[in-house]
């Protein structure tokens, strides 16, 4: 049996604009997703994903090409793409385990996809570089959900904190230790595909205006990269607020997010913004050590739940035992 695990992620800067070729910055968080895989002596693939209420879901290898229920789609499409590329087929027992709830938007789909392909490559002794792992995982995510820049896939593979351009055109580590971040969950589940679609409709309707906003966000990301690298957190916080203004212009924020962000900033955060597609999920804030408790309390008072996460953690890895 082989077990692989990959981290979840938090978008720090550049969401939405990254879908249109501008850069973004993402950090890997210490809530991991793991996948254990063993070969079977028959032609079946059996999936167990207890956190998704999937028990002994059974499918024959010959039917891997079909449509799968959402809860098993990433794992099964990953196995299909792996078999297609490396020409090895076998029945499999697959078991997933999540350290985090998929409701927070930490990227469980990308982490489970990357872990599955990593575990399969180890199980079948296929040598696979990080870039190959990226390409096959990104293809899997696009096969299942059609849209996405691939930032979450890169984060699951490379870990740490990355400066990223769509499709893995640039994947560059920003060398730092920990980020003084606070994460507030709104309690509302975001629907990434709907929000990405909404932005694409806006772009179609007002091309120049929206392209201009993407350019502005891209510039903020380039500046943020330097501030993060030098641990200039108050300046990075200022840029978070700037980024948030443009996200509001894209109409992807929400009353809940706005409330948590306003309360965080009013109580001494360096800056705050939504993280990810928007519409719900989480907001993030940067704050000094001295202010962390006050800002966290303010976010909770405004209706948020603080999620404790370590950032800048290791990417995908094989787990012993
Ligand atoms: O909602 P999340 O955390 O999956 O983030 C989506 C980020 C987008 O830029 C809106 C889409 C993408 O794939 O980059």
């Amino acid at each position: 049996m082989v077990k692989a695990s990959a981290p979840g992620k938090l978008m720090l800067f550049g969401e939405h604009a990254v879908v249109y070729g501008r850069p973004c910055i993402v950090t890997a968080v210490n809530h991991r997703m793991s996948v254990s895989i063993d070969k079977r002596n028959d032609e079946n693939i059996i999936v167990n994903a207890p956190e998704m209420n999937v028990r002994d879901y059974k499918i024959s290898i010959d039917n891997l090409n079909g449509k799968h229920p959402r809860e098993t789609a990433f794992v099964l499409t990953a196995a299909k793409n792996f078999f297609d590329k490396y020409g090895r087929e076998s029945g499999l027992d697959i078991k997933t385990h999540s350290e985090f709830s998929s409701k927070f938007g930490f990227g469980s789909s990308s982490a489970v996809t990357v872990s599955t392909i990593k575990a399969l490559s180890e199980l079948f002794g296929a040598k696979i570089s990080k870039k190959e792992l990226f390409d096959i995982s990104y293809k899997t995510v696009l096969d299942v959900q059609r849209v996405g820049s691939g930032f979450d896939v890169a984060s699951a593979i490379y870990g740490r904190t990355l400066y990223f351009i769509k499709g893995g055109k640039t994947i560059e580590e920003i060398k730092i230790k920990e980020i003084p971040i606070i994460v507030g969950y709104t309690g509302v589940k975001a629907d990434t595909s709907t929000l990405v679609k909404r932005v694409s409709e806006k772009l179609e309707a007002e091309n120049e205006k929206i392209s201009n906003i993407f350019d502005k966000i891209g510039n903020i990301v380039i500046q943020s990269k330097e501030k993060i690298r030098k641990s200039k957190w108050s300046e990075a916080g200022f840029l978070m607020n700037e980024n948030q203004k443009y996200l509001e212009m894209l109409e992807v924020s929400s009353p809940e997010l706005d409330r948590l962000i306003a309360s965080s900033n009013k109580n001494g955060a360096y800056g705050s913004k939504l993280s990810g597609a928007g519409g719900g999920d989480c907001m993030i804030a940067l704050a000094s050590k001295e202010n962390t408790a006050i800002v966290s309390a303010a976010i909770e008072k405004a209706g948020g739940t603080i999620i404790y996460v370590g950032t800048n953690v290791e990417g995908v890895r094989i787990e012993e035992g």
Side-chain angles (χ1 to χ4, degrees):
M1 193 197 74
V2 173
K3 182 174 176 182
S5 80
K9 55 82 182 101
L10 268 179
M11 181 73 100
L12 298 181
F13 290 94
E15 47 274 271
H16 288 290
V18 68
V19 177
Y20 300 91
R22 277 63 164 193
C24 75
I25 298 174
V26 57
T27 191
V29 299
N30 64 348
H31 294 221
R32 300 182 80 87
M33 186 90 207
S34 68
V35 178
S36 307
I37 309 186
D38 213 348
K39 291 180 191 168
R40 290 175 62 86
N41 292 327
D42 60 19
E43 298 295 296
N44 292 321
I45 296 185
I46 312 275
V47 183
N48 275 285
E51 290 87 8
M52 312 282 269
N53 289 322
V54 175
R55 299 199 205 286
D56 292 327
Y57 178 82
K58 181 169 146 185
I59 183 167
S60 111
I61 299 175
D62 301 333
N63 292 332
L64 263 186
N65 273 321
K67 250 197 127 16
H68 312 297
R70 176 93 194 160
E71 297 74 29
T72 57
F74 290 96
V75 168
L76 293 173
T77 309
K80 176 198 167 295
N81 285 336
F82 179 84
F83 290 153
D84 284 354
K85 172 122 199 213
Y86 295 96
R88 316 191 190 189
E89 282 192 1
S90 159
L92 300 170
D93 269 317
I94 303 180
K95 188 165 190 280
T96 71
H97 170 68
S98 175
E99 283 179 3
F100 56 91
S101 164
S102 65
K103 73 180 182 191
F104 299 143
F106 285 167
S108 50
S109 354
S110 46
V112 84
T113 301
V114 165
S115 300
T116 301
I117 294 170
K118 179 74 181 174
L120 285 172
S121 65
E122 187 78 9
L123 190 66
F124 289 94
K127 279 256 165 295
I128 171 168
S129 68
K130 281 193 170 161
K131 190 64 179 56
E132 284 166 334
L133 180 56
F134 177 85
D135 289 341
I136 184 167
S137 303
Y138 184 40
K139 177 185 182 330
T140 302
V141 169
L142 289 181
D143 286 349
V144 177
Q145 66 184 26
R146 294 215 176 78
V147 291
S149 62
F151 81 105
D152 44 359
V153 175
S155 180
I157 295 171
Y158 294 83
R160 307 303 167 198
T161 300
L162 303 175
Y163 176 84
F164 175 87
I165 296 180
K166 190 179 181 181
K169 208 167 136 200
T170 301
I171 301 176
E172 193 185 309
E173 185 184 335
I174 307 174
K175 290 210 160 46
I176 40 153
K177 290 201 179 80
E178 185 76 355
I179 303 167
I181 206 168
I182 300 168
V183 181
Y185 176 58
T186 56
V188 179
K189 177 88 199 101
D191 181 353
T192 302
S193 310
T194 305
L195 286 150
V196 170
K197 188 153 170 268
R198 193 190 299 167
V199 172
S200 87
E201 284 163 4
K202 273 185 93 62
L203 179 66
E204 213 157 285
E206 307 170 89
N207 193 282
E208 208 181 309
K209 181 178 155 202
I210 303 297
S211 298
N212 203 4
I213 293 176
F214 291 159
D215 287 341
K216 292 279 196 318
I217 294 177
N219 279 330
I220 289 171
V221 173
I222 291 167
Q223 293 174 55
S224 315
K225 182 179 159 191
E226 282 317 296
K227 303 302 178 197
I228 292 174
R229 203 170 56 76
K230 295 181 184 151
S231 296
K232 294 201 164 174
W233 300 117
S234 102
E235 290 165 43
F238 173 83
L239 290 167
M240 273 195 175
N241 289 337
E242 291 294 297
N243 194 161
Q244 174 64 18
K245 277 187 213 154
Y246 290 110
L247 288 164
E248 283 165 21
M249 288 182 203
L250 292 176
E251 293 177 49
V252 293
S253 200
S254 72
E256 292 82 7
L257 284 164
D258 293 348
R259 222 174 12 249
L260 304 195
I261 289 167
S263 182
S264 163
N265 284 344
K266 221 184 290 155
N267 287 277
Y270 291 137
S272 319
K273 62 183 275 298
L274 64 84
S275 171
D281 281 353
C282 293
M283 52 73 73
I284 52 176
L286 291 173
S288 65
K289 268 207 171 57
E290 303 76 63
N291 274 344
T292 299
I294 300 168
V295 173
S296 301
I299 292 171
E300 297 219 298
K301 193 144 186 258
T305 306
I306 300 298
I307 318 248
Y308 295 91
V309 295
T311 53
N312 202 42
V313 305
E314 192 187 356
V316 70
R317 64 177 181 231
I318 296 295
E319 302 284 349
E320 301 302 327

